[in-house]
Amino acid sequence: MSAQDGPILIIGTERSGSNLLRLVLDAHSRIAVPHPPHFMRYLSGIPYNGDVDAMVGDAMWLLRNHIHPWPHAIDRAAVAEAAGPSLFGVVSAIYDQYRVAEGAARWGCKSTFMVEHVDEVLAELPDARFLWLVRDPRDVAASAKRAVFGHCHPYRMALRWAAEQGLARAALERWGPEVVRLVRYEDLVSAPDREIRAICDFIGEAVEPAMLAHHLSGNARVTASLSASWRTAGDPITTARIGAHRRGLSDRERRQVESVAAGAMEALRYPFDRSSLDEPAPGPLGVVLRGFAVRLAVEARSLRTDRNHFRRWRRDATVRRLRRRAAPGRALFLAGESR
């Protein structure tokens, strides 16, 4: 694989416009970016101890229960034959098989949780490139509050946002701007021609007109139809959701977000009210109870509106089953590590 054919990974925090950027990239004739089953997020904590067959089996099980089914069947035997010895080696083999089925030259992954695995990716695929997608944490928290993905409580979402921006910045500092590029959501939707051109320059591809009309693709329509949390995937690029927190967060929630995200907000050019630095952290019990209440409302709406609601429940049950099955092995693994 040449440097120009290396994979493209979107990293950062969910609810930051990653579906938009995924579909923009997927609209390019040389790039295939399926909706991610989040293999590394759900499987990386399982101590496989180099058992490639077990890794492949669990990854294929997760793929079968994916909340956004892939249009192509993935051959388990071919994945096992092509996979490297690591979990990401298995993930790469799965994505590469999808790329071939799509007739593309390179694949992409929009699982923003890959921000925790940048070094692992580069150890397996040194030609990988990363798009660090960042969005105003107040808007991220407002979006997550209504979505079936992410923490419903804005304070918890802000903690995740701050931690993940720290990981992304560390990756940029470690690997440099030739490998990691910062993309601000607000810039992408305000000046899409300029930003998409800059992204294409970074990944070594020519701009294609279809990238600016991503919402017309079949993939965009399918994504938008599956969940209310993804309904904007079928919309043209718009600035309408900049500042969504003004409607989606209370003043207290905004201050709570700013209180924990202020350092990263300042570094990433997001103005905030400095008086929020004095906002006390909410009590743990209050966070749990409020988050649970909001989650119930979100799940009730999802039952009415989402085509993939029960697939998501089945996926979550699959993940719990895999982790329970691995629990004894994990305990033994950790005991061995402590000796």
Side-chain angles (χ1 to χ4, degrees):
M1 181 178 289
S2 70
Q4 191 171 346
D5 289 342
I8 307 153
L9 296 98
I10 301 169
I11 58 173
T13 301
E14 58 186 336
R15 312 310 301 169
S16 295
S18 57
N19 252 326
L20 167 62
L21 185 51
R22 172 181 80 86
L23 291 165
V24 166
L25 293 170
D26 188 65
H28 196 287
S29 62
R30 283 178 40 84
I31 305 171
V33 193
H35 192 279
H38 301 301
F39 295 112
M40 297 298 289
R41 178 192 186 193
Y42 293 126
L43 302 180
S44 62
I46 297 176
Y48 290 106
N49 301 321
D51 187 339
V52 173
D53 189 61
M55 289 187 275
V56 172
D58 286 357
M60 294 299 295
W61 197 6
L62 191 57
L63 182 58
R64 284 194 298 274
N65 291 285
H66 185 25
I67 59 176
H68 191 307
W70 285 10
H72 308 293
I74 300 299
D75 186 298
R76 173 175 175 160
V79 170
E81 183 177 354
S86 67
L87 178 59
F88 182 73
V90 171
V91 173
S92 176
I94 291 172
Y95 271 85
D96 202 53
Q97 198 174 132
Y98 180 93
R99 173 193 67 78
V100 172
E102 286 283 296
R106 60 200 304 192
W107 57 264
C109 175
K110 84 111 193 168
S111 183
T112 55
F113 303 100
M114 294 300 293
V115 71
E116 300 180 3
H117 304 284
V118 173
D119 290 359
E120 294 168 65
V121 172
L122 290 169
E124 183 79 25
L125 298 172
D127 297 328
R129 295 294 177 264
F130 297 86
L131 295 170
W132 168 17
L133 180 62
V134 63
R135 183 186 184 190
D136 187 320
R138 295 163 297 197
D139 289 348
V140 169
S143 178
K145 188 178 171 183
R146 291 186 53 81
V148 292
F149 312 108
H151 295 303
C152 284
H153 197 292
Y155 182 77
R156 291 189 67 195
M157 200 64 196
L159 289 171
R160 173 185 285 180
W161 183 90
E164 289 173 339
Q165 305 325 304
L167 290 173
R169 181 168 294 282
L172 173 58
E173 292 173 353
R174 175 175 173 81
W175 297 103
E178 297 81 17
V179 175
V180 180
R181 187 184 193 279
L182 175 64
V183 179
R184 296 176 83 250
Y185 168 82
E186 294 78 11
D187 296 339
L188 177 61
V189 298
S190 298
D193 294 272
R194 182 193 68 201
E195 291 302 307
I196 291 173
R197 184 169 301 280
I199 289 169
C200 285
D201 287 345
F202 170 71
I203 61 176
E205 298 289 351
V207 177
E208 294 185 355
M211 301 176 80
L212 287 163
H214 74 283
H215 60 290
L216 300 177
S217 72
N219 285 341
R221 289 194 297 272
V222 169
T223 298
S225 73
L226 287 173
S227 172
S229 298
W230 298 334
R231 67 184 183 280
T232 58
D235 296 344
I237 296 175
T238 174
T239 60
R241 286 173 288 280
I242 294 178
H245 69 275
R246 297 186 183 94
R247 301 178 302 278
L249 297 181
S250 68
D251 285 344
R252 185 181 185 189
E253 289 170 335
R254 173 189 56 79
R255 292 193 302 270
Q256 289 173 346
V257 171
E258 292 176 349
S259 70
V260 296
M265 290 180 72
E266 188 166 38
L268 293 165
R269 298 184 286 118
Y270 291 111
F272 61 94
D273 184 349
R274 291 197 170 273
S275 67
S276 296
L277 297 175
D278 298 323
E279 179 70 18
L285 181 60
V287 170
V288 170
L289 293 177
R290 175 59 178 160
F292 180 70
V294 175
R295 173 62 66 186
L296 283 179
V298 168
E299 290 289 348
R301 186 175 65 250
S302 177
L303 272 170
R304 298 192 306 271
T305 63
D306 294 354
R307 289 174 52 208
N308 65 352
H309 181 87
F310 292 106
R311 288 192 69 92
R312 179 168 55 82
W313 280 7
R314 189 169 67 186
R315 187 276 312 274
D316 293 346
T318 296
V319 171
R320 287 193 294 271
R321 182 175 178 181
L322 290 173
R323 289 176 174 172
R324 280 198 304 270
R325 189 190 67 193
R330 184 186 298 114
L332 291 172
F333 175 76
L334 293 175
E337 286 291 292
S338 67
R339 287 198 291 268

